[in-house]
């Protein structure tokens, strides 16, 4: 059976005055507790009784008592009002100091670039904050999905978001395994890529990303082809390590594979710069202390600037 939870406008007006009078059995002492005049208390109670449709107090010149309706109202109103006060306090606490659950949506590629070295130190620095990371390549609706913020490469952030820089601009480099390069040779010019197996990225909107290069300040977009498509950089990088083809990824993501010799950069002089990694959140929101703490912590350790 469907229930109607609609609360009439003004239904809670006067409840605090009622509870104070019921506690003190005095309009005067209730007025002193709430910092208003006895007349204001009387008006609030009369308005409440009119809305309820029953007298809540028995008044004499010497005493104030509860009617049967007042007793029933008190039995339910007092715990409900205490819960409202507690809820207000809990919400106020979140707005005053770094605490609570911080939910972030991030692409898998950003986790090793930025977050893995930082999450442990952040959790130690702010033990009252719980961090939840949802790794996804989808550009989710932050409000609808209940996220405090998202982290993305700058070129993928909607213009209506507030963006906070977390890293400096990142080069986008092309790499291949030694085995692949031995078989197919090293590309020397951007046009050579048309003759190579190039691993491609499918964006969250379904489109296949072209490869971007920089020729002495001139931006070049090349539609490449190859045997493998992935929807995230780490998967593409893994295929490149196995010799499937060339991959174009943000440089920090490939640092480990290059250091061990599993991947070799090519066409280095044509590597374009991406805007870098940004944290973003809706502009109409008041930034909560837990999110501000995270921004300051990550910026301080990553060297990013606004």
């Amino acid at each position: 059976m469907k229930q109607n939870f609609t609360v009439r406008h003004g239904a809670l007006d006067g409840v605090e005055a009622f509870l104070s009078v019921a506690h003190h059995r005095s309009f005067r002492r209730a007025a002193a507790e709430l910092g208003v005049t006895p007349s204001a208390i009387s008006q609030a109670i009369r308005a409440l009784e009119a809305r309820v449709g029953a007298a809540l107090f028995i008044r004499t010149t010497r005493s104030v008592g509860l009617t049967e309706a007042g007793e029933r109202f008190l039995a339910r109103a007092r715990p409900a009002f205490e819960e409202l006060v507690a809820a207000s306090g809990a919400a106020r606490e979140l707005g005053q100091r770094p605490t609570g659950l911080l939910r972030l949506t991030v692409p898998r590629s950003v986790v090793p670039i930025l977050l893995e070295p930082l999450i442990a130190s952040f959790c130690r620095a702010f033990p009252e904050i719980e961090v939840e990371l949802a790794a996804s390549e989808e550009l989710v609706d932050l409000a609808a999905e209940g996220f405090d913020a998202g982290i993305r490469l700058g070129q993928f952030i909607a213009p209506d978001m507030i963006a906070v820089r977390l890293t400096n601009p990142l080069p986008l480099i092309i790499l291949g395994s030694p085995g692949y390069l031995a078989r197919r040779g090293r590309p020397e010019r951007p046009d050579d890529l048309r003759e190579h197996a190039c691993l491609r990225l499918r964006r969250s909107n379904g489109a296949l990303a072209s490869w971007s290069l920089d020729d002495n300040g001139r931006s070049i977009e090349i539609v490449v082809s190859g045997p493998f498509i992935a929807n995230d950089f780490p998967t593409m990088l893994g295929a490149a390590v196995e010799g499937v083809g060339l991959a174009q990824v943000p440089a920090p993501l490939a640092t480990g594979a290059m250091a061990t010799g599993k991947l070799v950069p090519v066409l280095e002089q044509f590597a374009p710069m991406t805007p870098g990694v940004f944290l973003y959140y809706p502009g109409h929101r008041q930034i909560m202390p837990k999110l501000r703490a995270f921004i300051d912590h990550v910026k301080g350790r990553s060297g990013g600037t606004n």
Side-chain angles (χ1 to χ4, degrees):
M1 177 176 160
K2 186 177 179 180
Q3 297 182 0
N4 183 2
F5 292 100
T6 302
V7 177
R8 290 179 302 165
H9 177 69
L12 298 179
D13 292 350
V15 172
E16 187 174 17
F18 166 82
L19 293 174
S20 184
V21 173
H23 174 71
H24 293 290
R25 292 298 197 269
S26 167
F27 281 67
R28 180 178 55 80
R29 287 197 291 272
E33 178 183 66
L34 299 179
V36 298
T37 65
S39 175
I41 292 291
S42 296
Q43 291 176 16
I45 296 300
R46 283 196 297 270
L48 179 62
E49 289 176 327
R51 289 197 305 275
V52 171
L56 301 176
F57 290 105
I58 302 171
R59 307 169 180 83
T60 71
T61 56
R62 290 176 295 182
S63 64
V64 175
L66 287 165
T67 64
E68 182 180 2
E71 293 284 1
R72 292 188 179 186
F73 191 86
L74 177 64
R76 295 201 173 189
R78 181 159 53 195
F81 189 79
E82 289 172 352
E83 281 297 310
L84 284 174
V85 171
S88 177
R92 186 182 304 110
E93 182 181 41
L94 287 175
Q96 292 177 341
R97 62 190 180 90
T99 186
L101 176 64
L102 180 67
R103 299 191 71 227
L104 304 172
T105 173
V106 301
R108 286 182 59 206
S109 57
V110 168
V111 176
I113 290 176
L114 178 66
L115 295 183
E116 283 181 352
L118 298 169
I119 289 299
S121 62
F122 178 75
C123 289
R124 286 193 297 269
F126 298 94
E128 293 187 77
I129 298 178
E130 296 177 292
V131 179
E132 178 181 343
L133 294 183
S136 171
E137 306 310 310
E138 298 295 324
L139 296 176
V140 303
D141 185 322
L142 297 182
E145 300 296 329
F147 289 102
D148 295 288
I151 296 175
R152 284 289 184 275
L153 292 171
Q155 63 266 41
F156 300 122
I157 297 175
D160 61 342
M161 293 286 164
I162 291 180
V164 179
R165 177 178 293 281
L166 299 182
T167 73
N168 293 321
L170 304 174
L172 198 60
I173 60 175
I174 299 173
L175 310 103
S177 70
Y180 173 85
L181 296 176
R183 293 194 313 271
R184 302 289 297 269
R186 294 175 63 99
E188 300 296 336
R189 300 288 303 171
D191 283 346
D192 294 345
L193 293 173
R194 303 184 193 280
E195 306 302 321
H196 279 266
C198 297
L199 312 181
R200 291 170 291 169
L201 178 73
R202 189 177 296 281
R203 292 175 174 160
S204 60
N205 63 4
L208 287 172
S210 58
W211 281 22
S212 299
L213 293 97
D214 183 279
D215 186 5
N216 292 318
R218 182 172 64 92
S219 179
I220 303 174
E221 295 289 325
I222 298 180
V223 178
V224 296
S225 62
F228 186 75
I229 298 170
N231 72 341
D232 61 66
F233 287 124
T235 301
M236 187 186 303
L237 194 67
V241 169
E242 295 300 321
V244 178
L246 301 177
Q248 187 178 44
V249 301
L253 191 62
T255 301
M258 288 191 294
T260 58
K262 293 180 179 179
L263 289 175
V264 178
V266 298
L267 297 174
E268 298 98 317
Q269 69 274 32
F270 296 100
M273 299 297 290
T274 68
V277 177
F278 290 76
L279 180 141
Y280 65 98
Y281 57 94
H284 63 272
R285 283 189 182 180
Q286 176 186 2
I287 188 166
M288 299 295 285
K290 60 183 179 181
L291 181 54
R292 171 53 62 191
F294 181 76
I295 293 171
D296 292 343
H297 185 82
V298 175
K299 284 170 56 180
R301 293 179 64 90
S302 66
T305 58
N306 277 321

